[in-house]
Amino acid sequence: MATFISVPLKKASEVDLVKPLSKFVTATYSTGEEQGEYTRAVEELNKLRKNALGRPLDKHESSLEILLRYYDQLCAVEPKFPFSENQLCLTFTWKDAFDKGSLFGGSVKLALASLGYEKTCVLFNAAALASQIAAEQNLDNDEGLKAAAKYYQLASGAFGHIKDTVLSALNREPTMDISPETVGTLSLIMLAQAQEVFFLKATADKMKDAVIAKLANQAADFYGDAFKQCQYKDNLPKYFYFQEVLPVLAAKHCIMQANAELHQSMLSKQKKRFGEEIARLQHAAELVKTVASRYDEYISVKELTDKINRALTAAKKDNDFIYHDRVPEVKDLEHIGKAALVKATAITPPLSQKFSDLFEKMVPIAVQQSMSVYNQRKAETVNRLVGTMREATNLCNGVLASLNLPAALEDLSGDSIPQSIVEKARSIVQQGGLQSIEQLIRDLPELLTRNREILDESLKMLDDEETTDNELRAKFNQRWNRTPSGDLYKPLRAEGANFRNVLDKAVQADQVVRDRYNTHCDMIALLCKPENELIAAIPSANPAKTLQGSEVVNVLRSQLAQLDEVKKERETLEGEVKAVTFDMSTAFLMALAQDGAINEEQLSVSQLDQLYGSYNQRVQASLHTQEELLGQVQVSHQEFSSLKQSNTEANQREEVLKKLASAHDSYVEISSNLREGTKFYNDLTEILLKFQNKCSDIVFARKTERDELLKDLQQSIAREPSAPSFSVPAYQSSPAAPAAGPTPAPRTVFVQQPQQPQQEPQAKPQPPARPPPPSFIPQAASAAPSNAPPTGPPTSHPPPVAPPSQPQGPPYPTYQGYPGYFQMPMGYNPYAYGQYNMPYMPYQATPGQGGYPAAPPAGQPYPGYPQQPPQQPPQQQPYYPQQ
């Protein structure tokens, strides 16, 4: 009776996890230590998949542990990598576990770029292997019974989990083996078998009959539900697997119900309800009789039948001779209770006993994304503060240059170079002068061109693949049922458009820097010249030594010193702002653990306010101080200018000194801008190369998916009928054995019955001349008419064999005839001349061809066919069936 149902495993195609995951690790984590650790973890994950799916698995707990460990690792790694069609694209291909396909079409399979699909199929295999391990257990001891019940409940829980999650995990129609209907049915079957194992254990432990009856009745109920589930689902019965399972479920339902009635009858006997005992035993006997008559090839119930019959015979005997209790109808019997001791195991990872996450230190992708956005917010905050301070410094320098300060205070002699101009000239020369700026300007177009080429090549890959996808979609219409490339590439195209806008803005910024360089180029070149040439280029003026000891000069120098102090404080403050660090991953992980989601904006803004609030106040205070000092400097400069002698030479000298001071400031700013631009283009190149790799990976994955889909379409087309069905003529439907040679066109044979006129068959084109058939008269029809045609002399050929019961040539129609009747060869009718009242014509032999042989004399052999005429083509096959 112990026939248990197990489920076959799905087969997976090989997938290389190392290359795409390692690319993501390299692109995401810059630290060499982290990269090495995570790359080794990726290789371990690939080995784990090969062990779990790349080889046949034994029906042992160790094999199940490998599958469960791989499933746990998939669950752990899913939130840490961006598995999707347009990011980290990995295509997993699995074959249907039940539908083996056809000889030419191959088995049904599905390829999806979804880690949820991989998880679902791995969990299906874990459940299937658990069912196989349970079916292999020895149910004669407690350890085997406990193990079987454990694995059946695990299989039931796994199948039930797939039923609840498969549609959301795949976002498309799954194959039939993992569809909710199929796995729901399998979950019920596994639960019923677990309940049956508990019934067997209760029976072995000799528990009370009332308990055993309830356990058996509950098992019968589970089997009945599973049978109904199989029977009422349209798609399940077409599987050969379920065609084999259905009778087992029906038999198990009856057997468990019979066991329940048997043990309940024992309880009735204990309560001295002898009529009820007999009624239950009779019902149990009917149930096992049904199983024996319908499902004997699947389950043997001989032992149970004998047990029930012995109990029924004894009960009837005792009742007939002693108790005389009335036997009630089955419908009037009290219903047997139910006791469900089994429950589907909840699927909550980790399921394996010794699971350790290979990527334990890697934060989930949600935290990574939140960290990326946080870093952007932090960079914007730092850039805003630093930019504000640099802008204020540039404004201060511009105002002082327009006032020719501090050069005006140093140039009181009127014929020497101010010390500030000398220092600025020396600074420019130390930084490389015009050559360094010109070299940076020449490098920018090359960097720009390189970035544009990378971006164009990346988008071209997407365009080419999308064009191919659209062409195939137009060709196959609804059969091309994968995500359109146009929809899939929208995020990538938006990212590419953003990069193009960034490049366009960078080109405009480069032009602004060039224009500014062209404006100050001459003065920068003057500052790069030796000191004697610089002195000669600056006009001399009358001395103004009288102002050297004046109070206004001292006030201006004090104010300029305060401004220099403000600028130095800003440089220190800028370094402090850039040095601020804080690890937000801990806060994001806590939020993810508590709420299941991360409110990045709220957490980031709050933290940035705490970090940079004080720095923002110090920057604003610095701006306010500078504004006050610049106002005081302008007032003092007006007083200083009014005291100086005003003449043309002095004005020209002051104008040149202003331009030199402004040229120095412009040189510093242009150099800084060009270096930032070079760094920007180099950094953008790395980003664009990552973007190109992302595009290349997704295009490669799409090409692989396209090839798989094309192969499946070709197989499905090969499985389709090549022509519409048509009805076969009735005269071709008679069974016939295959002919030895080419089969001629079918012809109807009309057998003449005496005194029954019959129409002559329609004449048809005849093949080349062949010998006519012999005059063969069966024994049962030896009374031939007197006007039979004469026959020729007998020959020495061997006698022909009587025609077989099944003709070997074309499908002749069969006629019942009379006893001893043998069907005549095709086209032969010995009575035809009498039917049409035609005059008898003596037979005239054809030259080169023998006549019809006559009947053989008694005791002599029957003549055979004459040989083929010599003019017969050698490749012509015999027209009549050969023995």
Side-chain angles (χ1 to χ4, degrees):
M1 188 194 75
T3 300
F4 289 91
I5 299 168
S6 60
V7 182
L9 273 67
K10 292 172 69 68
K11 291 183 180 180
S13 299
E14 186 176 352
V15 177
D16 181 18
L17 302 177
V18 175
K19 183 178 178 181
L21 295 184
S22 298
K23 274 188 175 181
F24 174 81
V25 168
T26 305
T28 305
Y29 299 95
S30 56
T31 308
E33 183 179 351
E34 286 184 334
Q35 284 187 8
E37 181 180 354
Y38 295 150
T39 302
R40 289 190 295 271
V42 167
E43 293 173 355
E44 288 297 322
L45 177 63
N46 197 52
K47 291 180 183 178
L48 182 58
R49 186 181 196 274
K50 288 183 178 180
N51 289 334
L53 308 178
R55 62 184 180 88
L57 296 176
D58 298 330
K59 298 176 183 179
H60 191 267
E61 185 178 0
S62 60
S63 299
L64 180 61
E65 177 69 17
I66 294 175
L67 268 177
L68 293 178
R69 192 156 72 90
Y70 178 54
Y71 176 78
D72 290 337
Q73 189 59 66
L74 289 178
C75 295
V77 84
E78 184 177 21
K80 298 180 180 180
F81 288 89
F83 293 101
S84 64
E85 285 185 298
N86 55 5
Q87 293 189 54
L88 187 56
C89 185
L90 280 172
T91 302
F92 301 99
T93 304
W94 288 78
K95 294 182 179 180
D96 193 306
F98 303 127
D99 193 340
K100 302 305 179 184
S102 62
L103 178 63
F104 299 103
S107 59
V108 176
K109 60 184 177 181
L110 177 63
L112 283 180
S114 166
L115 191 71
Y117 177 52
E118 174 87 344
K119 285 173 52 183
T120 298
C121 295
V122 171
L123 187 59
F124 180 94
N125 272 11
L129 185 60
S131 71
Q132 295 178 11
I133 296 174
E136 293 291 320
Q137 297 298 316
N138 181 9
L139 302 182
D140 294 334
N141 55 58
D142 281 351
E143 289 77 12
L145 289 168
K146 291 178 181 179
K150 169 188 170 184
Y151 289 126
Y152 280 134
Q153 291 178 88
L154 173 62
S156 177
F159 285 131
H161 183 77
I162 295 173
K163 175 187 175 184
D164 297 335
T165 60
V166 62
L167 295 180
S168 60
L170 269 62
N171 290 326
R172 62 159 293 170
E173 193 67 25
T175 50
M176 277 305 302
D177 56 343
I178 57 173
S179 65
E181 296 83 1
T182 305
V183 291
T185 302
L186 294 176
S187 178
L188 284 175
I189 293 174
M190 297 300 119
L191 199 63
Q193 294 186 150
Q195 180 74 17
E196 182 182 355
V197 170
F198 273 96
F199 159 76
L200 293 176
K201 187 175 188 316
T203 304
D205 294 345
K206 297 181 180 180
M207 298 181 70
K208 294 181 179 179
D209 291 317
V211 175
I212 298 177
K214 291 179 180 179
L215 292 175
N217 196 32
Q218 182 65 68
D221 196 31
F222 283 152
Y223 277 119
D225 292 342
F227 179 79
K228 293 176 184 177
Q229 188 89 347
C230 283
Q231 200 174 31
Y232 295 152
K233 296 298 180 183
D234 297 335
N235 295 321
L236 299 186
K238 75 173 184 180
Y239 277 146
F240 176 77
Y241 174 81
F242 285 101
Q243 292 175 3
E244 293 290 313
V245 164
L246 271 173
V248 175
L249 295 178
K252 286 290 191 78
H253 172 69
C254 295
I255 291 171
M256 288 293 102
Q257 200 170 354
N259 275 292
E261 295 290 353
L262 173 62
H263 287 276
Q264 192 69 21
S265 70
M266 296 177 184
L267 185 62
S268 300
K269 183 177 181 181
Q270 295 171 8
K271 295 180 179 179
K272 302 185 182 302
R273 299 174 183 172
F274 304 106
E276 179 181 338
E277 177 192 8
I278 295 174
R280 292 192 181 278
L281 289 173
Q282 288 176 344
H283 188 207
E286 292 174 0
L287 290 170
V288 293
K289 183 179 178 181
T290 301
V291 174
S293 61
R294 295 184 183 180
Y295 313 114
D296 186 53
E297 60 178 310
Y298 299 98
I299 297 180
S300 174
V301 290
K302 185 177 184 305
E303 182 179 349
L304 180 61
T305 302
D306 294 343
K307 184 176 182 181
I308 293 173
N309 288 337
R310 286 195 302 269
L312 179 59
T313 302
K316 283 185 175 180
K317 182 178 179 181
D318 291 343
N319 192 55
D320 290 344
F321 286 95
I322 303 174
Y323 307 113
H324 303 288
D325 195 5
R326 186 183 68 84
V327 178
E329 296 289 335
V330 176
K331 62 180 180 180
D332 298 331
L333 295 176
E334 182 181 352
H335 291 291
I336 303 174
K338 299 175 185 178
L341 297 185
V342 294
K343 184 179 180 182
T345 303
I347 303 301
T348 54
L351 299 175
S352 56
Q353 297 176 358
K354 298 180 181 179
F355 171 69
S356 59
D357 188 4
L358 296 173
F359 302 89
E360 184 176 3
K361 296 182 180 179
M362 183 182 290
V363 296
I365 193 65
V367 177
Q368 295 178 25
Q369 293 172 348
S370 299
M371 284 295 298
S372 177
V373 178
Y374 165 76
N375 290 331
Q376 290 180 2
R377 294 182 188 274
K378 178 184 174 183
E380 290 174 358
T381 303
V382 171
N383 291 337
R384 177 173 53 80
L385 293 174
V386 172
T388 301
M389 291 187 289
R390 288 184 179 181
E391 185 179 353
T393 300
N394 291 335
L395 174 63
C396 178
N397 292 336
V399 170
L400 295 180
S402 66
L403 301 177
N404 194 24
L405 294 175
L409 299 179
E410 299 167 354
D411 190 37
L412 296 179
S413 62
D415 53 0
S416 63
I417 302 177
Q419 185 62 30
S420 61
I421 298 297
V422 174
E423 292 176 356
K424 290 177 180 179
R426 189 180 299 119
S427 173
I428 289 178
V429 172
Q430 290 175 354
Q431 294 181 37
L434 284 178
Q435 290 78 11
S436 64
I437 290 184
E438 290 176 351
Q439 183 61 41
L440 291 172
I441 291 177
R442 283 194 299 269
D443 291 343
L444 288 181
E446 297 180 5
L447 299 175
L448 173 66
T449 303
R450 181 181 64 185
N451 287 332
R452 284 196 185 277
E453 289 176 352
I454 296 173
L455 180 59
D456 293 341
E457 181 63 27
S458 303
L459 296 178
K460 184 177 182 298
M461 286 191 293
L462 300 181
D463 293 337
D464 293 344
E465 200 283 326
E466 183 175 352
T467 301
T468 305
D469 181 71
N470 291 336
E471 291 174 355
L472 292 172
R473 189 175 305 281
K475 180 178 180 180
F476 292 104
N477 296 326
Q478 291 82 4
R479 291 187 176 187
W480 198 252
N481 55 356
R482 71 170 185 168
T483 306
S485 296
D487 297 340
L488 193 61
Y489 296 157
K490 283 181 179 179
L492 290 175
R493 293 195 181 281
E495 194 173 354
N498 182 43
F499 288 139
R500 198 171 295 281
N501 291 335
V502 168
L503 287 174
D504 292 341
K505 292 180 180 179
V507 170
Q508 297 175 4
D510 294 344
Q511 188 60 42
V512 171
V513 173
R514 288 193 189 93
D515 294 341
R516 186 167 187 179
Y517 170 73
N518 294 331
T519 302
H520 299 278
C521 177
D522 296 337
M523 287 298 166
I524 294 174
L526 183 60
L527 287 172
C528 295
K529 291 181 179 181
E531 186 174 350
N532 56 349
E533 294 184 16
L534 185 59
I535 293 174
I538 300 175
S540 60
N542 293 329
K545 295 182 179 180
T546 55
L547 296 177
Q548 287 185 355
S550 63
E551 183 180 355
V552 65
V553 173
N554 296 331
V555 170
L556 269 175
R557 285 176 177 170
S558 174
Q559 293 169 345
L560 292 178
Q562 293 178 23
L563 283 175
D564 290 339
E565 189 66 26
V566 169
K567 287 190 281 187
K568 289 180 182 179
E569 289 178 358
R570 282 197 193 130
E571 293 176 359
T572 304
L573 184 58
E574 180 176 335
E576 293 178 4
V577 168
K578 289 181 177 179
V580 173
T581 57
F582 182 78
D583 185 12
M584 278 293 292
S585 59
T586 305
F588 288 146
L589 284 171
M590 291 177 58
L592 185 63
Q594 292 176 359
D595 305 330
I598 300 175
N599 189 344
E600 181 276 329
E601 183 177 2
Q602 179 181 354
L603 294 174
S604 297
V605 171
S606 174
Q607 186 62 42
L608 289 175
D609 287 342
Q610 294 179 15
L611 292 175
Y612 295 100
S614 60
Y615 293 107
N616 191 35
Q617 294 176 0
R618 291 171 62 184
V619 169
Q620 295 300 323
S622 175
L623 294 179
H624 181 68
T625 302
Q626 175 180 296
E627 185 177 357
E628 291 181 349
L629 287 174
L630 284 178
Q632 296 173 6
V633 166
Q634 287 176 339
V635 172
S636 300
H637 183 268
Q638 289 179 357
E639 184 178 352
F640 172 77
S641 299
S642 63
L643 295 177
K644 288 179 64 178
Q645 291 182 354
S646 178
N647 54 51
T648 304
E649 293 179 355
N651 292 338
Q652 290 178 352
R653 180 181 177 85
E654 186 173 354
E655 190 66 27
V656 171
L657 292 176
K658 287 180 181 179
K659 289 182 178 179
L660 289 175
S662 179
H664 170 267
D665 295 339
S666 297
Y667 177 87
V668 173
E669 187 174 355
I670 290 171
S671 298
S672 176
N673 291 340
L674 289 175
R675 289 188 176 89
E676 288 180 358
T678 302
K679 183 178 183 301
F680 163 77
Y681 282 124
N682 289 329
D683 293 344
L684 185 61
T685 299
E686 295 182 6
I687 296 174
L688 287 175
L689 286 175
K690 293 179 181 179
F691 176 73
Q692 187 182 38
N693 289 335
K694 189 189 299 185
C695 294
S696 175
D697 290 344
I698 191 173
V699 167
F700 177 77
R702 293 285 287 179
K703 286 181 179 178
T704 304
E705 183 185 9
R706 180 187 68 198
D707 294 341
E708 290 285 341
L709 186 55
L710 278 173
K711 184 178 178 182
D712 293 343
L713 285 174
Q714 290 169 357
Q715 292 177 352
S716 65
I717 292 173
R719 287 194 293 263
E720 293 178 353
S722 58
S725 60
F726 54 89
S727 58
V728 180
Y731 72 89
Q732 295 184 9
S733 60
S734 300
T743 304
R747 304 178 185 199
T748 307
V749 176
F750 296 93
V751 180
Q752 173 67 37
Q753 299 295 336
Q755 307 302 325
Q756 291 183 2
Q758 185 170 333
Q759 294 182 357
E760 183 180 3
Q762 184 178 358
K764 296 185 178 180
Q766 298 295 324
R770 291 176 176 80
S775 175
F776 174 71
I777 303 175
Q779 295 179 0
S782 58
S786 59
N787 53 359
T791 59
T795 63
S796 61
H797 293 288
V801 182
S805 59
Q806 291 293 334
Q808 303 298 312
Y812 307 120
T814 57
Y815 298 90
Q816 186 146 4
Y818 47 87
Y821 165 75
F822 290 89
Q823 180 175 323
M824 295 299 107
M826 181 173 58
Y828 174 61
N829 189 344
Y831 309 106
Y833 67 89
Q835 177 181 355
Y836 303 104
N837 298 321
M838 297 175 63
Y840 168 71
M841 299 296 293
Y843 173 76
Q844 296 180 359
T846 304
Q849 176 174 310
Y852 287 95
Q860 292 190 13
Y862 187 84
Y865 291 104
Q867 298 297 320
Q868 298 287 344
Q871 68 271 18
Q872 184 73 17
Q875 69 273 16
Q876 183 67 43
Q877 298 293 330
Y879 189 77
Y880 296 100
Q882 302 298 309
Q883 298 299 325

